[in-house]
Structures are given as C-alpha cells and as structure tokens.
Amino acid sequence: MKLSDVVATLEQIAPPELAEDFDIGRIGLTLDLENDIQKIAVSLDPTRYVLKRAADIGADLLITHHTLIFHPLNLINKPLAEILRIALDNNISLYSMHTNLDKAKGGINDALARRIGLSNIVDTAVGKIGTVSSCPAETFVNHVAKSLDTHVQFTGRKEEISKVMVFGGSGFRNEYLAVAKQYDVDAYVSAELKHDIIRSWEDMLLVDATHYATENPGMQDLCTVLEEKLRLDVEFIDHNPFIEVL
Amino acid sequence: MKLSDVVATLEQIAPPELAEDFDIGRIGLTLDLENDIQKIAVSLDPTRYVLKRAADIGADLLITHHTLIFHPLNLINKPLAEILRIALDNNISLYSMHTNLDKAKGGINDALARRIGLSNIVDTAVGKIGTVSSCPAETFVNHVAKSLDTHVQFTGRKEEISKVMVFGGSGFRNEYLAVAKQYDVDAYVSAELKHDIIRSWEDMLLVDATHYATENPGMQDLCTVLEEKLRLDVEFIDHNPFIEVL
Amino acid sequence: MKLSDVVATLEQIAPPELAEDFDIGRIGLTLDLENDIQKIAVSLDPTRYVLKRAADIGADLLITHHTLIFHPLNLINKPLAEILRIALDNNISLYSMHTNLDKAKGGINDALARRIGLSNIVDTAVGKIGTVSSCPAETFVNHVAKSLDTHVQFTGRKEEISKVMVFGGSGFRNEYLAVAKQYDVDAYVSAELKHDIIRSWEDMLLVDATHYATENPGMQDLCTVLEEKLRLDVEFIDHNPFIEVL
Amino acid sequence: MKLSDVVATLEQIAPPELAEDFDIGRIGLTLDLENDIQKIAVSLDPTRYVLKRAADIGADLLITHHTLIFHPLNLINKPLAEILRIALDNNISLYSMHTNLDKAKGGINDALARRIGLSNIVDTAVGKIGTVSSCPAETFVNHVAKSLDTHVQFTGRKEEISKVMVFGGSGFRNEYLAVAKQYDVDAYVSAELKHDIIRSWEDMLLVDATHYATENPGMQDLCTVLEEKLRLDVEFIDHNPFIEVL
Amino acid sequence: MKLSDVVATLEQIAPPELAEDFDIGRIGLTLDLENDIQKIAVSLDPTRYVLKRAADIGADLLITHHTLIFHPLNLINKPLAEILRIALDNNISLYSMHTNLDKAKGGINDALARRIGLSNIVDTAVGKIGTVSSCPAETFVNHVAKSLDTHVQFTGRKEEISKVMVFGGSGFRNEYLAVAKQYDVDAYVSAELKHDIIRSWEDMLLVDATHYATENPGMQDLCTVLEEKLRLDVEFIDHNPFIEVL
Amino acid sequence: MKLSDVVATLEQIAPPELAEDFDIGRIGLTLDLENDIQKIAVSLDPTRYVLKRAADIGADLLITHHTLIFHPLNLINKPLAEILRIALDNNISLYSMHTNLDKAKGGINDALARRIGLSNIVDTAVGKIGTVSSCPAETFVNHVAKSLDTHVQFTGRKEEISKVMVFGGSGFRNEYLAVAKQYDVDAYVSAELKHDIIRSWEDMLLVDATHYATENPGMQDLCTVLEEKLRLDVEFIDHNPFIEVL
C-alpha cells in the first residue's frame, strides 16, 4: 500500500486540524522515506528501543504519539543520530499524532475513558466526562490502578465518586480543571500532578495514573482500527518506563 | 520588633538579588500591614488553612516559600478574598522567599541535602551535590523516603549510588539534569517528574520525593535560624497536601 | 436581590464586549463577595473615601468607572490593603464599567452630550457629535463651564461654534481628533489636554473640562437607570478631586 | 562658524547620552543642511510660525526642545511639507535637545527651579528638588503662577509648603512622583496633570503650570549660554499656545 | 486635472488593498503638495536624477514603484533633503505603487510576462505562470536577455524549457519558489539570486535578469495606460543603474 | 586522532565566540558520530554531491562554511534524509564554521583579501580593507574576475581605484557599506548585490563576485592550515554552482 494512502487514512482518524497551535511541526510525517508500506508499528514514543524493535519486526512505518524532535533543532547529537540511523538503515518512516489524537473520536481520551469503564461518556473541549456507579474515593482509585495496570497517586477531599473526567498524559492544568469544576466532576484522572495544582484544587479527587498508562490505551486501540481500515499487519510495541514507588 | 528590622534580617538570610528573573514581584513583602512583630509563622504555602492557623497562634507575620498571588491579577475572586480577609482581620503581613531561598546558604537545597545526609556538599549553579556511602539504588531510595517521611517514585537504570544531586521542588528540568550529567551524578532527587524527562535521562536514578517533602525541610530550618537571629517566637505550620499512593 | 441578577442588568446596560482591548481584567466584578444586594453605591473611583462612605450608607455593592487595580499586580501595598479591608469588613463587592460604559447607549459620552445640551446627537466610533445654536467660542466655553460646574481650559482658533464633539475623560488623542476633523467639528470637549495635541490641532476649539466633570454625569445618570431597572436603593457618592485654578 | 563646531558645543551643554531611550532619533540634527552658521534661533517647538519667524530674522539654525518629526514616518503630509519648504528655502538646519536638556546642568529643570526661586537645589534621577521659605499652599501656588507668568491648576491636601520638586513638561508620572515621595516633598510642579495621578497622590500639593510655561524658561536661558559660548547672534522666538481658563 | 482625480484612477489601476502588509506607509501619496496636475512623470525610483529630470520636463506628479522613504524615519539627512528640495521647489507630488502594482492586472508581473512573450498566462498567489514553445535552456536564457535588454545570470539543471514563472524584482524567495515547484515550472525569472536559493532549488532553471530590467516594463506600460485613462501628458524617465558584467 | 582534539584545533582557528548572535546552533559539531578521525573533507556547503564525494574519499569529518540545517526544524524531508543517510552510513561527522570563520585571523575575509592581492590589510568590525596600486575601475574589476576565477557584475561611479574593502558572501548590507564609506573606500567587493543597495551607494564601485567565489578561497586555505596543524590528510571538495552569464 502506498504511504500516501496510509497517511490519508491516518488523517481521517485524527485530522491534523484538531491539533493545538503549539503542536506545529509535530503532527504527520516527520521522517519521510517514501516506501511501500507492508507492515506498521505503533508505540507511544520513538525511543531507540522502539525503533530497534520496529526494525526487527520489519516495519516500514512507525506511528507514535510523541514526535522524534519535539523542539526544532539544528544540531543532531549522538542519541538522535543513533535513532535516525536505525530508521534510515531500515527505511522506516515516522508519523506522529499528538494533540489531534487526544481529541479525536476514538482517540487517546476516549480510549482512556473506556478502559476505566466510564458510562454516558460526553465530549468537552478538553477531555471526556463519564460516570461510574457511585463508590467511595478509595474504591475508585483502586479500580483505576487495576484497569490501567499502574500504580497511582491521589489527593483531594472528595468522599463519594460518581462523575469522572479523564485526560491522557499531562492534563493537570488549571484551564482544564476549571472545565472539570464547571461540570461538577468528582474525580479527575490524568498524569504529572504538580504541587501548585494540588494546592488550587483541593475539593476534587485528583488521580495521577502516570503519563504512560493514561496515553498507552489510545495507541493500543489505534492498532485495531488501523488493521481494520488498512488490512495491513499492525503491531504494537510496548516500552514501559517502569517507574517504581516505595 | 519593627517589621523593617525583621525584613532586614530576612534579606540577609536570602538576598532578593539571588532570585530568578521570573520571580519579579514574588519576593519580599507581598502584603504590608505595618505592625509591630511579636510572633512569626513560617509555612510552605499561604493557604486558607495556614492563614487561619497563623491567626489562631497570634502571628503578626507569615513567611512562606510560595507567594499568595503568583501571576499578577486585577480581579480578586472569592477564595483569594477569603484569605485576604483573614490576613487583614488579624493584621498578618505576608513575606515570600522563593528562588532566592532555594539558592541561599542554608536555604531550601542545603536543608534538603542535609536532611538526606549527604557528605562533602558542594554548590552548583542549580542544586547541591554530595555523596552517600555507596549502596544499591533501592537502598538509597528507601533511605530518601524515610529521611523525608514521604512516599517516593523512582525510575532510571543506575545500580550503585554514590554521588547525588538534590533540588527542592520542581527541579526535573532538562537544563538542571544536564548539569547533573556533567558532574557524573548517580542519583537526582527532586519532585514532579514528567514523562519527557524520564525518556531523556534514562541512565541516572531519578527520585521524585514530592514537592512538599523536598522543600519543607528548608522552611522548617528557617524557623531555628530566625529564632536565633531575631529572639522572637517563631512557629512552623505544617500543611501537608497528603498525596496517597496505591 | 441576587448579585448575579444585578450583574445581568449591568451587562445589559453596558455590554462588556463594547470595552476596548486594553481593558482586559478591568470590566465586571473585580471583588466578588457573594452577598445578597440590598443597596448599591455608585461613584467614579473606588477611593478610600468612597469605600468608607459606601460602608456608612450600608451598600453591598459599589459600582465605579475606574477599577481598583488598574495594572495587574502581585504585591498589595498599604493604601490598597486599607481599601480592601473596608470592602471585606463591610462585605462590599466591586463592579467596574469602563470603556464599555463610555460607548454604551445612555453611557458616559451620551450623558456628557446631554448635560451640555447638544441637539441632533449622533454616534461616531469614538465620541458623540451634536450641535448648539451658533455662538462665539467664548460664549460656548462659558456655557460648558456652567453646565458641568467646573473650571475649563481652552485653546485653538475657531471663532464661531456650532458642531461639537464630546468624549468623557482622557479623550484628547490624535486618533479621536482625526475623527472630529473628518466630521468638520468646530469644538471638541474632553479632558487632560496635552501640549502636543495643542500643537497639532490648532484650528479647532479644544475645551478641557476636567476628567472628573466630563465623566461624572454618566455615573450620576446610571443611578436613575439602576433604580428603575432594579427597584433597589441606589446612592451616588460624589468625590470631587477639587482641582483649583489661579 | 561651522555647523559641526556649533553641534560640538550643543553636545557639551546637553550630552545626547543623557536622553531617555524612547528619544532615539529625536536628539541632535534632524534636518542637516550644512550651512555656515551666522545666526541661531531658539524656540520650544518647530511650528510653522516659528520657522517663518526664524527665516525672517535670517537664522541658519533653529534649536528646539521638541523635534519636528516625533513618530517616525514615511509619508510627508501638507503641513509638514510646508514647514520643510520654509526650512529648505531658507537653508535652516534643525537641532533638537529633548530629555537630554531636561536633565542637563543648567537645563530645563534647572531653569524652572531657578525661575520659581528654589534654594538648596539638589539633583535627583528625575527632577530638581529645592526649598522655599515655609508658606501656606495657596501662597506658594500664587507665587508659581506669577513667576512663570501663567495660569495654574492645583490639587492635593498639603497645607504648609517648604520642600518642592519641579519637572518641566509632562512630568506627572507615577514613577517620578514616587521619587518625590521618597524625598518627602510638599509640592510638585509640572504639567499635564491627569485624573489617575490626582487620585493616587492626594497627600502632596500638585501644581500644573502648563507644558509651555514650565519648559520655556530652559530654552530662554539656553540663548544666554549659547551667546556666551559661541559669540554668535542668538534670538529667542516665543510661540505661546495661549491656553485660556474660565 | 485635480490630484484627487488622478489618485482615484491610480487606485483603480492598482488598488492599495492588494499591497502586502509590510508595505504600510509605502503606497499612495507620500508627498502631497496639492497641485493641479498637467503633466505626470513615471519612473522606477525617486532618485535625485529622476526628480531633477521630472522638474526639467515640468511634471507636477512623479509616480514610482519604490517609495522615497522606505523605513520610517525622524531624521532628514542631506541626500534626502536634496531630493525633497527639488520636489518642494518644483511643486512635484510623489505617489508610490509597490506590491499592489506587482499583483494588479496589467501590473509589474503581467508586463514582465508579456515582455518575455509568455502564452496562456495564469495568475498564482505570488507571480505569473505561462508557457513558451519548448526549447533548450540556453535558447530561453538568450531570449530573456534580448527581450529585457539586459545581461542575465543563470543556474540550475533543467534542459528543456516550456513552463515559466516570472516575478519582477527581488523574487527569489523560498516561499515563492515552493509555489513554482508545485506548478512544475521549468524556469523561474526574477532578480537578486542568492547562494542559499541556488543550493536549495537546483533542479529548476533560475534566471536572474536584474531588479531594474524585470520591474521597469511594468512602469513603462503604466505610462500608456495613464495617458489613455487621464488624457494627460505622461512621460517615462529611465534611470538605469548600469550594472556591467565581465 | 580523536574528534575532540580536532575540534579543539578548529575552535582555536575560528573561536565560536566570534560568531554573530543569529548563528546560534550553526557553529561547531552539527552531526556528532564520535569517530576516530583519519581523513577530513572541507567544502563550502554540505550538499548531497559533497557528502557523496566525502564518502568516496573516505572522510570521517566534513567541515563546511554553511550548516546542514540552517533554520531549526522538527520534520526531516526526503532531500535532508538522503544527505543524513550518506553521513550516517559512512560515519561522517559534520562541523560548521560560519560567521566565526568570516572574522577569524586567516579566515574567509582574510583569504579573499589575499587572493585579490590587497596590501596593507587592516581589520574593521565587518570586513577587511587594503590597497591596490591605483588603477582605472575597469582594470580593477578585470583583476578581481581573474583572481577569483569568476564572472563579476559591477556598478557605481568611481573612476580610479586604490582603497578596497572586501567581505566574503552576502556582504552588500547598508550597515557594512556605511563602514566602507567611513574609511573612504573606492571599491567594495562582495556578493548578492541588490537594487536598493545600488541606488543608495552610487559613488562607490560595487563589485559582485558571487557568493561562492568570494567565500571559497577561505575554505581552500583552511585545508593547508589544518594539514599543518593536525598532520592529517585533508582534502578540498569543490562544488561550484556554475552560475552562467549572458
């Protein structure tokens, strides 16, 4: 299948126009090697490990959530050269879907909401909101940890949880939490919780379920969608950073 | 004792010139109510709880690490009005020491290094570096958790830890970790670890010991110094956000 | 009456969208204390004197033209703390209408035009234009001084006055006077006349009738409108700066 | 005398380095016609009247406080073309001294201080401070009006005046008045008083003695200095804007 | 004929709205001397030579492509004063048409396309595209040099030329050449070819036919149009910079 | 020889601190592949042709004047991928010396001055100035063309040439020519002459000797210096863009 046809399908799944302004240059083909696509690899980050694995399984295209070169650069250092070398030697093109996939129907946030088992899912400008059958905060937190197979951190005063908002990745931002507040949400599930956020939103249950575990489901689900739409071999590569807690 | 004399001592302990450029307006007296100072309260954040407690113990001045109004504003919303009301009703002036206290001799980073028990502490442009007797990574992590009385998260491939860099608060930034790398540090202790940092610094032990637990020792130590220098009653107010982990 | 209902009426009188871009943060509720509104005070500026007087008459809401905190800040100095203390102790919310009231139907400029007795008033992008029965410049100037009960300064070469433009407050700006010129205006009434304006617009009669006297009529008229619309007790507080001339 | 020699003397009197940053392009020769200088005219503004008068008296150089083209432009409209035509037809170069003359020894502010009869004049970063024999505010205001031969406006609560700060031209700015406050000044004499200044500095006597009357003495004094230093014919051209008050 | 009527016709030929944003202040009357127009001069640049020649032939208005004051200024140096003197002494108004004439129907780019003899001319966002009967690159280059009566420089690998894009003046910019590429152009004719452009666009024939020779035809053609539309005497002034090549 | 030792020598020849501010990220190692350096290639631009040639001759390091990625980017398109592939497959590191080499002793401008045979060479802030034995302009232009083995374009009124300023590459900028004027230069040799420059500097001989021919001598001379200092095999790769003139 021609790369341009694959790209057309990817743009239909997560239209680039949905991306945030700060994502200029981080969406779409970021390494364009014009090959005929037989096999696709999908992963969260284009790390050295992931590229190597993609080469081992014979992928022609690697689709990731985070782009290879986040901040524009004009120096190529050794770790980057190493990754490029693997891609070039094995003719693997790179394609990124970032904030456009966050918001897309069936994208990062949708997948996260479904993995946690939310009902009555509705769309907001920033994340997804849904409900769980009313339960104590601790029960809910345990459920999140198990559903996403991760440790979690949590804080905030809520006792009974029913309405939940989710945002995959680094979603603990004041402007997002203000939206959650407007919807009278009981719990907010995202990652990379920071001190000033904890101080400002004390009366909501804040659950930090790690960047990886909240975004990964969306990339996993993407595999199934792509296989159906493209009738190509698509393989997910898992590269967990293995954060541990004591 | 006159407020201006207290301020002179505070500026000697943490000279305002040490503060970062972005801290304009966040250092020094941020609420100036001109009272005669009999009692001082010290805490990390000027939350509603802390102000109330300061009023209860009869404090005339509250010294915090984070300022009350972080981003300049011209609207005073209800939560802020509430805090101001307590301060004004009880005549409590507010004074902040932020990045100037981070770097000051005996400041946030120094206190953190001592609390963890580092030896041979040296100053760098961004944090403090010291050594522990060589031990496995897990032993070191356990030791940090116990010393700071907090849960910790950690990641990274190091096996044997000897050289350690510490930075209180939100210190997992690429430019700080580049300094750590230059010094061949084995472990870096700070807070608010994020996914992109985990991905970029895989060959160092990164220990996230929470924002509160890494900055609080510096504020506690400040009490002792102030009591000695001012011969006034100084009381520490602890307001732990109580993050929990599952 | 609920504060939110009062605010709805105020936004109907002077829609916030009419405000200039530079007025971000200066329109609407600037101190929000959520009280049930029984009595409203109206004045030009939220000075210490005005706040005290508002407290004396038992006002729950003070509506002013100029906002309390004009430039965003993160330090609260003593004079501001004093004003805040009065507002907080007496539970007085603050609400500002600035450039949105200038332009609103029945607003600052409209009231000024009516107070001077202009006929055939028409709206321009910046001020109001109307006519007086043709008279010598000095007669017109005398009339303005008497109508607004203020001393006035004037300059410019016009001899016979018939068409007049008015702009309450600091309206001697080149871009506004260019509009006046386009309409072939004989006299321009506003405040805070400056030397470079005098030099650039010599062939129009420029009448400086002080900032206070040109804006105050609009605030006085607002009282009547509010009483009618809200059926509440509304009281005007006059705080003239008493500029004198020799 | 060569123009370059005249310029050297002018730069010695008011060094261009003293000028404020915003005066870029407004200091020094602004129309350079390279003539041999026999006669110099001095005035506050390069108006059409002043240029004509300079031509009538046969001046080769016109020195003014305000520059001809204040805001950089690339269109030359009719009034400006008219002024340029007079200068070019009569070979009159133009030279401006603005904020550099304000601050220079013997410059605008010095001349103003002497004209009002201040004693013990000292220099501050922004204006001159001196004393008068203690007298009631009204006596002082009357004295200023008479000394500068102008009407004045005044406001503020001071009763007894002894210490005075002066700043020629548009000197009612918050940052300047803060300096006055620091020096515990009773009265501040300048021009173009505005409403927000009146509101913020109520406990100082603020005297607005017009832009023209506060800057003109400095330009008049410059004539005497130039005649002495250059041994050339120097003539002052007075072009009062004739503001009147009712 | 009144100047305002001439201006109306000029705005119809090259509507000012067509100009690029960076041309603010460079379009339309740039020296406005309000004369009755009997004779018009047209030239590429308002140089001293051109102004002198315009005065000699009795022109009341000089129309040029480049404006007299390109970057806004507030100092008038000697060369500029000299040019202004000629204009003012001879009452010659100045009018500029820059990027608006580039794009106008029958403007700079259109005239260039016709002078080179392109067929099937179509408009793009940046230049004009047309065809020549297919010929070797060298034949085409020779033809351009002869048509525009200039030497040319050329580079790039194309062998057979059929589709051509032209842009008068300084048109070798990456964003313009990207458009040419999109249209699969064989040759691009413009001026001021630079090294980085040569390196980046090696597979197109790039022909540098000088700024003057590529823009001048548009100004010459403007004369004919003006004579027809205005029934006035219009004369073209040629001021070739005479670049020579060895 | 270790790459770091080669880099140390390169930094001694052209200290990075000499570079202009806009050259951030364009100086030094721009592709770092950590090899042991046996052979060095030097060229003006890292084009595909040059990289291929460098690979053919077995170079481990390619030193160029212009950097590979001029404007920071986060997308790698096909032409760039192709160049990177050659570098990575053949383990060729890239090193750039740009404005630091322009100004360095024995750098681009020095080499150009020597190639043209200037005497009494002196350094200015922007280029080199020297003298030739006085000769007619045409003789001088012929000499430049022959010395640099290129065609040249020239313009300007000078008849007799003696004092000459040179600047390799794109040096026809107003601020550089103002320096030339200050030194009373007769001729200025550089590249990429533009129309507005021609119009503004008519009384100097301006010689455009192409970007390539004015910068290339500096890169050629660098080979000799490197061979002497490093005792390594250094080879120059010539990739002339072959601009032709008719």
Side-chain angles (χ1 to χ4, degrees), chain A residues 88-99:
Chain A
L88 290 164
D89 282 358
N90 297 282
N91 239 18
I92 304 173
S93 289
L94 300 180
Y95 188 95
S96 294
M97 307 164 117
H98 194 216
T99 49

mmCIF file with all atom_site columns, all heavy atoms in Angstrom, chain A residues 88-99:
data_model
loop_
_atom_site.group_PDB
_atom_site.id
_atom_site.type_symbol
_atom_site.label_atom_id
_atom_site.label_alt_id
_atom_site.label_comp_id
_atom_site.label_asym_id
_atom_site.label_entity_id
_atom_site.label_seq_id
_atom_site.pdbx_PDB_ins_code
_atom_site.Cartn_x
_atom_site.Cartn_y
_atom_site.Cartn_z
_atom_site.occupancy
_atom_site.B_iso_or_equiv
_atom_site.pdbx_formal_charge
_atom_site.auth_seq_id
_atom_site.auth_comp_id
_atom_site.auth_asym_id
_atom_site.auth_atom_id
_atom_site.pdbx_PDB_model_num
ATOM 1  N N   . LEU A 1 88 ? 16.860 5.063  9.059  1.00 0.00 ? 88 LEU A N   1
ATOM 2  C CA  . LEU A 1 88 ? 17.340 5.181  7.680  1.00 0.00 ? 88 LEU A CA  1
ATOM 3  C C   . LEU A 1 88 ? 17.838 3.834  7.161  1.00 0.00 ? 88 LEU A C   1
ATOM 4  O O   . LEU A 1 88 ? 17.558 3.452  6.015  1.00 0.00 ? 88 LEU A O   1
ATOM 5  C CB  . LEU A 1 88 ? 18.456 6.231  7.604  1.00 0.00 ? 88 LEU A CB  1
ATOM 6  C CG  . LEU A 1 88 ? 17.986 7.683  7.806  1.00 0.00 ? 88 LEU A CG  1
ATOM 7  C CD1 . LEU A 1 88 ? 19.177 8.590  8.114  1.00 0.00 ? 88 LEU A CD1 1
ATOM 8  C CD2 . LEU A 1 88 ? 17.246 8.188  6.570  1.00 0.00 ? 88 LEU A CD2 1
ATOM 9  N N   . ASP A 1 89 ? 18.565 3.108  8.000  1.00 0.00 ? 89 ASP A N   1
ATOM 10 C CA  . ASP A 1 89 ? 19.094 1.807  7.574  1.00 0.00 ? 89 ASP A CA  1
ATOM 11 C C   . ASP A 1 89 ? 17.971 0.829  7.248  1.00 0.00 ? 89 ASP A C   1
ATOM 12 O O   . ASP A 1 89 ? 18.109 -0.033 6.385  1.00 0.00 ? 89 ASP A O   1
ATOM 13 C CB  . ASP A 1 89 ? 19.969 1.187  8.686  1.00 0.00 ? 89 ASP A CB  1
ATOM 14 C CG  . ASP A 1 89 ? 21.342 1.828  8.719  1.00 0.00 ? 89 ASP A CG  1
ATOM 15 O OD1 . ASP A 1 89 ? 21.607 2.699  7.862  1.00 0.00 ? 89 ASP A OD1 1
ATOM 16 O OD2 . ASP A 1 89 ? 22.138 1.476  9.608  1.00 0.00 ? 89 ASP A OD2 1
ATOM 17 N N   . ASN A 1 90 ? 16.857 0.971  7.974  1.00 0.00 ? 90 ASN A N   1
ATOM 18 C CA  . ASN A 1 90 ? 15.768 0.024  7.792  1.00 0.00 ? 90 ASN A CA  1
ATOM 19 C C   . ASN A 1 90 ? 14.586 0.629  7.043  1.00 0.00 ? 90 ASN A C   1
ATOM 20 O O   . ASN A 1 90 ? 13.518 0.040  6.992  1.00 0.00 ? 90 ASN A O   1
ATOM 21 C CB  . ASN A 1 90 ? 15.319 -0.500 9.162  1.00 0.00 ? 90 ASN A CB  1
ATOM 22 C CG  . ASN A 1 90 ? 16.423 -1.269 9.857  1.00 0.00 ? 90 ASN A CG  1
ATOM 23 O OD1 . ASN A 1 90 ? 16.675 -2.424 9.519  1.00 0.00 ? 90 ASN A OD1 1
ATOM 24 N ND2 . ASN A 1 90 ? 17.123 -0.609 10.773 1.00 0.00 ? 90 ASN A ND2 1
ATOM 25 N N   . ASN A 1 91 ? 14.821 1.838  6.529  1.00 0.00 ? 91 ASN A N   1
ATOM 26 C CA  . ASN A 1 91 ? 13.788 2.505  5.729  1.00 0.00 ? 91 ASN A CA  1
ATOM 27 C C   . ASN A 1 91 ? 12.438 2.594  6.446  1.00 0.00 ? 91 ASN A C   1
ATOM 28 O O   . ASN A 1 91 ? 11.412 2.228  5.889  1.00 0.00 ? 91 ASN A O   1
ATOM 29 C CB  . ASN A 1 91 ? 13.619 1.722  4.418  1.00 0.00 ? 91 ASN A CB  1
ATOM 30 C CG  . ASN A 1 91 ? 13.907 2.636  3.249  1.00 0.00 ? 91 ASN A CG  1
ATOM 31 O OD1 . ASN A 1 91 ? 14.526 3.693  3.429  1.00 0.00 ? 91 ASN A OD1 1
ATOM 32 N ND2 . ASN A 1 91 ? 13.463 2.256  2.072  1.00 0.00 ? 91 ASN A ND2 1
ATOM 33 N N   . ILE A 1 92 ? 12.477 3.080  7.670  1.00 0.00 ? 92 ILE A N   1
ATOM 34 C CA  . ILE A 1 92 ? 11.244 3.207  8.454  1.00 0.00 ? 92 ILE A CA  1
ATOM 35 C C   . ILE A 1 92 ? 10.830 4.678  8.505  1.00 0.00 ? 92 ILE A C   1
ATOM 36 O O   . ILE A 1 92 ? 11.547 5.506  9.060  1.00 0.00 ? 92 ILE A O   1
ATOM 37 C CB  . ILE A 1 92 ? 11.440 2.699  9.896  1.00 0.00 ? 92 ILE A CB  1
ATOM 38 C CG1 . ILE A 1 92 ? 11.954 1.258  9.883  1.00 0.00 ? 92 ILE A CG1 1
ATOM 39 C CG2 . ILE A 1 92 ? 10.153 2.804  10.698 1.00 0.00 ? 92 ILE A CG2 1
ATOM 40 C CD1 . ILE A 1 92 ? 12.346 0.723  11.248 1.00 0.00 ? 92 ILE A CD1 1
ATOM 41 N N   . SER A 1 93 ? 9.697  5.007  7.916  1.00 0.00 ? 93 SER A N   1
ATOM 42 C CA  . SER A 1 93 ? 9.172  6.369  8.022  1.00 0.00 ? 93 SER A CA  1
ATOM 43 C C   . SER A 1 93 ? 8.556  6.572  9.394  1.00 0.00 ? 93 SER A C   1
ATOM 44 O O   . SER A 1 93 ? 8.157  5.618  10.048 1.00 0.00 ? 93 SER A O   1
ATOM 45 C CB  . SER A 1 93 ? 8.111  6.621  6.942  1.00 0.00 ? 93 SER A CB  1
ATOM 46 O OG  . SER A 1 93 ? 8.707  6.714  5.680  1.00 0.00 ? 93 SER A OG  1
ATOM 47 N N   . LEU A 1 94 ? 8.484  7.838  9.824  1.00 0.00 ? 94 LEU A N   1
ATOM 48 C CA  . LEU A 1 94 ? 7.890  8.150  11.119 1.00 0.00 ? 94 LEU A CA  1
ATOM 49 C C   . LEU A 1 94 ? 6.671  9.043  10.930 1.00 0.00 ? 94 LEU A C   1
ATOM 50 O O   . LEU A 1 94 ? 6.688  9.971  10.115 1.00 0.00 ? 94 LEU A O   1
ATOM 51 C CB  . LEU A 1 94 ? 8.895  8.881  12.024 1.00 0.00 ? 94 LEU A CB  1
ATOM 52 C CG  . LEU A 1 94 ? 10.179 8.137  12.365 1.00 0.00 ? 94 LEU A CG  1
ATOM 53 C CD1 . LEU A 1 94 ? 11.055 9.008  13.265 1.00 0.00 ? 94 LEU A CD1 1
ATOM 54 C CD2 . LEU A 1 94 ? 9.849  6.834  13.084 1.00 0.00 ? 94 LEU A CD2 1
ATOM 55 N N   . TYR A 1 95 ? 5.641  8.775  11.712 1.00 0.00 ? 95 TYR A N   1
ATOM 56 C CA  . TYR A 1 95 ? 4.422  9.571  11.639 1.00 0.00 ? 95 TYR A CA  1
ATOM 57 C C   . TYR A 1 95 ? 3.928  9.831  13.057 1.00 0.00 ? 95 TYR A C   1
ATOM 58 O O   . TYR A 1 95 ? 3.866  8.899  13.870 1.00 0.00 ? 95 TYR A O   1
ATOM 59 C CB  . TYR A 1 95 ? 3.350  8.818  10.849 1.00 0.00 ? 95 TYR A CB  1
ATOM 60 C CG  . TYR A 1 95 ? 2.114  9.633  10.559 1.00 0.00 ? 95 TYR A CG  1
ATOM 61 C CD1 . TYR A 1 95 ? 1.980  10.309 9.348  1.00 0.00 ? 95 TYR A CD1 1
ATOM 62 C CD2 . TYR A 1 95 ? 1.091  9.749  11.488 1.00 0.00 ? 95 TYR A CD2 1
ATOM 63 C CE1 . TYR A 1 95 ? 0.855  11.076 9.068  1.00 0.00 ? 95 TYR A CE1 1
ATOM 64 C CE2 . TYR A 1 95 ? -0.036 10.518 11.223 1.00 0.00 ? 95 TYR A CE2 1
ATOM 65 C CZ  . TYR A 1 95 ? -0.150 11.170 10.011 1.00 0.00 ? 95 TYR A CZ  1
ATOM 66 O OH  . TYR A 1 95 ? -1.256 11.927 9.732  1.00 0.00 ? 95 TYR A OH  1
ATOM 67 N N   . SER A 1 96 ? 3.581  11.094 13.380 1.00 0.00 ? 96 SER A N   1
ATOM 68 C CA  . SER A 1 96 ? 3.118  11.410 14.741 1.00 0.00 ? 96 SER A CA  1
ATOM 69 C C   . SER A 1 96 ? 1.682  11.901 14.757 1.00 0.00 ? 96 SER A C   1
ATOM 70 O O   . SER A 1 96 ? 1.260  12.670 13.907 1.00 0.00 ? 96 SER A O   1
ATOM 71 C CB  . SER A 1 96 ? 3.981  12.527 15.350 1.00 0.00 ? 96 SER A CB  1
ATOM 72 O OG  . SER A 1 96 ? 5.280  12.084 15.548 1.00 0.00 ? 96 SER A OG  1
ATOM 73 N N   . MET A 1 97 ? 0.958  11.484 15.775 1.00 0.00 ? 97 MET A N   1
ATOM 74 C CA  . MET A 1 97 ? -0.378 12.003 16.071 1.00 0.00 ? 97 MET A CA  1
ATOM 75 C C   . MET A 1 97 ? -0.337 12.407 17.526 1.00 0.00 ? 97 MET A C   1
ATOM 76 O O   . MET A 1 97 ? -0.223 11.545 18.389 1.00 0.00 ? 97 MET A O   1
ATOM 77 C CB  . MET A 1 97 ? -1.408 10.888 15.918 1.00 0.00 ? 97 MET A CB  1
ATOM 78 C CG  . MET A 1 97 ? -1.344 10.174 14.595 1.00 0.00 ? 97 MET A CG  1
ATOM 79 S SD  . MET A 1 97 ? -2.240 8.608  14.692 1.00 0.00 ? 97 MET A SD  1
ATOM 80 C CE  . MET A 1 97 ? -3.527 8.896  13.487 1.00 0.00 ? 97 MET A CE  1
ATOM 81 N N   . HIS A 1 98 ? -0.446 13.684 17.812 1.00 0.00 ? 98 HIS A N   1
ATOM 82 C CA  . HIS A 1 98 ? -0.319 14.123 19.188 1.00 0.00 ? 98 HIS A CA  1
ATOM 83 C C   . HIS A 1 98 ? -1.636 14.710 19.694 1.00 0.00 ? 98 HIS A C   1
ATOM 84 O O   . HIS A 1 98 ? -2.585 13.971 19.909 1.00 0.00 ? 98 HIS A O   1
ATOM 85 C CB  . HIS A 1 98 ? 0.852  15.132 19.292 1.00 0.00 ? 98 HIS A CB  1
ATOM 86 C CG  . HIS A 1 98 ? 1.302  15.413 20.682 1.00 0.00 ? 98 HIS A CG  1
ATOM 87 N ND1 . HIS A 1 98 ? 1.734  16.647 21.092 1.00 0.00 ? 98 HIS A ND1 1
ATOM 88 C CD2 . HIS A 1 98 ? 1.367  14.607 21.752 1.00 0.00 ? 98 HIS A CD2 1
ATOM 89 C CE1 . HIS A 1 98 ? 2.052  16.579 22.375 1.00 0.00 ? 98 HIS A CE1 1
ATOM 90 N NE2 . HIS A 1 98 ? 1.846  15.367 22.802 1.00 0.00 ? 98 HIS A NE2 1
ATOM 91 N N   . THR A 1 99 ? -1.725 16.018 19.842 1.00 0.00 ? 99 THR A N   1
ATOM 92 C CA  . THR A 1 99 ? -2.970 16.568 20.392 1.00 0.00 ? 99 THR A CA  1
ATOM 93 C C   . THR A 1 99 ? -4.156 16.334 19.467 1.00 0.00 ? 99 THR A C   1
ATOM 94 O O   . THR A 1 99 ? -5.295 16.399 19.910 1.00 0.00 ? 99 THR A O   1
ATOM 95 C CB  . THR A 1 99 ? -2.823 18.070 20.710 1.00 0.00 ? 99 THR A CB  1
ATOM 96 O OG1 . THR A 1 99 ? -2.262 18.729 19.583 1.00 0.00 ? 99 THR A OG1 1
ATOM 97 C CG2 . THR A 1 99 ? -1.924 18.298 21.900 1.00 0.00 ? 99 THR A CG2 1
#
